[in-house]
Amino acid sequence: MARPRKFDEERAVDAAMEAFWTAGYEATSTQDLCEATGLGRSSIYNTFKSKRDLFDRALARYMEYKNAELAALMESDLPVRQKIRTQFQRVIDEEFERGPEGSERSEGVAGAEGRGCLVVNTAVEVAARDHEIADDLTRDYRLRLAVIRAAIESGQRDGDIARDKDPTALAHFVIATIAGLKVSARVTRQRSVLEMTADAALTAL
């Protein structure tokens, strides 16, 4: 009979996700993963086979979390413009809302604790030289595109968005804006700039 696991595998994946999200794939060492998960090297390798296998699990978990949040918002009863603006706001809040001690951040300190987006970070760091991860990111993108496009099409039927606009193009635009906000937050370090960007993007719809 198989010996029962002495740890919660899903919690270990969550802890590894946090480590990879903070430092990136290459900079996260096996020792970092041991410290994050509370597991020894042998437990990590016996369960997850390799750092790469654990990263794949962590990235999939992150996508699952974020896509569930996005789907719940896009399928809500809010007007579509409000749905999209709410998603933009979530991105901004993730980068600016919390400081080192859990207090609200002030203008100009984004990037001190903000980690951006694990999907965007992975696309920049890993995807160009790893076709399997690139394929995973492509599938994730298509899923988000379909969810956002469906919301936009619903908004067109309701008259919230002009019917002569291409819903697929708008969905691509929304995704690009979300990614741009995440990257810009690491550079501009000004919440007001991202707020203005989000409002300007909304007018394009």
Side-chain angles (χ1 to χ4, degrees):
M1 184 174 68
R3 187 171 57 185
R5 297 225 181 268
K6 295 184 181 297
F7 60 91
D8 186 328
E9 187 172 314
E10 297 306 310
R11 289 181 65 182
V13 172
D14 284 342
M17 180 186 73
E18 294 289 337
F20 286 124
W21 190 4
T22 298
Y25 176 71
E26 295 293 347
T28 301
S29 66
T30 302
Q31 182 59 37
D32 293 331
L33 294 171
C34 290
E35 293 174 2
T37 62
L39 303 176
R41 288 174 180 262
S42 60
S43 293
I44 287 179
Y45 286 118
N46 287 338
T47 304
F48 302 107
K49 301 179 183 178
S50 66
K51 171 183 168 180
R52 168 57 189 277
D53 179 56
L54 181 51
F55 179 73
D56 287 344
R57 293 275 300 273
L59 181 61
R61 177 63 61 86
Y62 181 89
M63 291 174 176
E64 178 185 349
Y65 285 160
K66 292 300 182 180
N67 289 336
E69 287 182 352
L70 178 66
L73 175 59
M74 292 299 150
E75 294 168 6
S76 70
D77 293 331
L78 295 172
V80 67
R81 289 175 178 274
Q82 189 173 345
K83 293 176 184 180
I84 293 170
R85 186 60 179 85
T86 298
Q87 183 61 30
F88 291 163
Q89 194 63 47
R90 284 179 176 177
V91 172
I92 296 169
D93 288 345
E94 284 177 358
E95 292 298 326
F96 287 88
E97 189 173 48
R98 296 295 174 186
E101 302 300 326
S103 59
E104 186 171 350
R105 292 186 193 155
S106 60
E107 182 101 351
V109 296
E113 293 292 316
R115 297 176 290 181
C117 168
L118 182 57
V119 168
V120 173
N121 295 347
T122 301
V124 172
E125 180 190 7
V126 183
R129 62 180 183 276
D130 191 314
H131 296 306
E132 290 182 2
I133 287 180
D135 288 343
D136 290 340
L137 295 176
T138 296
R139 284 190 291 270
D140 177 68
Y141 184 98
R142 289 173 177 167
L143 189 155
R144 288 181 285 120
L145 181 71
V147 169
I148 294 171
R149 181 178 59 213
I152 290 171
E153 290 171 340
S154 177
Q156 289 178 314
R157 290 191 294 271
D158 294 340
D160 196 31
I161 294 178
R163 296 187 181 185
D164 62 345
K165 293 185 176 181
D166 183 345
T168 300
L170 291 181
H172 282 298
F173 174 72
V174 169
I175 292 174
T177 300
I178 291 169
L181 288 171
K182 291 173 179 178
V183 173
S184 293
R186 311 293 292 277
V187 178
T188 66
R189 305 193 178 192
Q190 295 182 63
R191 185 184 188 114
S192 59
V193 171
L194 270 67
E195 297 280 4
M196 289 188 294
T197 302
D199 290 339
L202 203 63
T203 65
L205 301 177

